[in-house]
Amino acid sequence: MIQSLLVANRGEIACRVFRTCRELGISTVAVHSDADASALHVREADAAVRLPGAAPADTYLRGDLIVKAALAAGADAVHPGYGFLSENAEFARAVLDAGLVWIGPPPSAIEAMASKTRAKELMGLAPLAEVTEADLPVLVKAAAGGGGRGMRIVRSLIALAAELEAARAEAAAAVGDGAGS
């Protein structure tokens, strides 16, 4: 049975997982960037580990630091939340390789579905180049965006290219990767 769970995320996502852990009698560990040191999720956790830095690319997106934090805090499991590293098969493997329990789909499933572009192909969704007026409105999402970042509703074909570029730019600014979808 899991005794202590580290949530590799922040904000409302982490708070929801912590609330469930409390109901189950599982102790909780938060991770936080310098900017989030006094955030609600840090205050609600039983323990907290600082990830040095402020930007997500230096903190919440560093799987190696999160695994070290889990081990240092004595957690025996890691929950990724959503966004950030939740779709990263290498992170899931690193958690498992460290002898921790991974709360999420197996790395093989993450690999099959983590690429939004590949997932859409597996589901048979039409590529953006094939979108017609009859398909509108459509939602475009940068492949690497997370937490709602890099998403745009497109209501006209004329706006498609500009909205896709805006989604890519927003994802690049938020998570350092503006790959299209």
Side-chain angles (χ1 to χ4, degrees):
M1 169 142 159
I2 295 170
Q3 301 297 313
S4 179
L5 175 75
L6 179 139
V7 177
N9 218 298
R10 64 183 178 189
E12 178 62 21
I13 301 161
C15 291
R16 287 180 185 189
V17 176
F18 294 160
R19 190 170 29 249
T20 300
C21 286
R22 275 192 302 277
E23 292 172 6
L24 297 172
I26 298 171
S27 68
T28 57
V29 179
V31 290
H32 65 87
S33 67
D34 292 339
D36 292 334
S38 61
L40 179 61
H41 78 281
V42 176
R43 295 189 316 263
E44 285 199 2
D46 296 312
V49 179
R50 175 182 173 260
L51 302 174
D58 300 327
T59 55
Y60 300 104
L61 291 169
R62 290 279 310 272
D64 59 326
L65 295 180
I66 292 172
V67 169
K68 286 179 185 176
L71 294 170
D76 48 19
V78 174
H79 187 300
Y82 60 85
F84 289 135
L85 293 171
S86 65
E87 298 176 3
N88 186 312
E90 290 306 312
F91 175 58
R93 278 193 194 90
V95 168
L96 293 168
D97 289 347
L100 300 165
V101 175
W102 170 252
I103 308 297
S108 60
I110 295 171
E111 284 175 332
M113 298 305 289
S115 165
K116 291 173 181 74
T117 304
R118 178 68 181 129
K120 287 191 283 186
E121 289 172 5
L122 291 171
M123 291 186 287
L125 296 177
L128 288 176
E130 297 176 17
V131 171
T132 67
E133 286 286 340
D135 298 318
L136 299 174
V138 295
L139 178 69
V140 295
K141 169 120 177 46
R149 303 273 173 87
M151 295 174 64
R152 295 286 186 283
I153 296 174
V154 179
R155 299 183 192 286
S156 76
L157 288 180
I158 294 169
L160 182 60
E163 293 292 356
L164 183 55
E165 185 53 39
R168 287 178 176 152
E170 184 178 358
V175 297
D177 186 347
S181 61

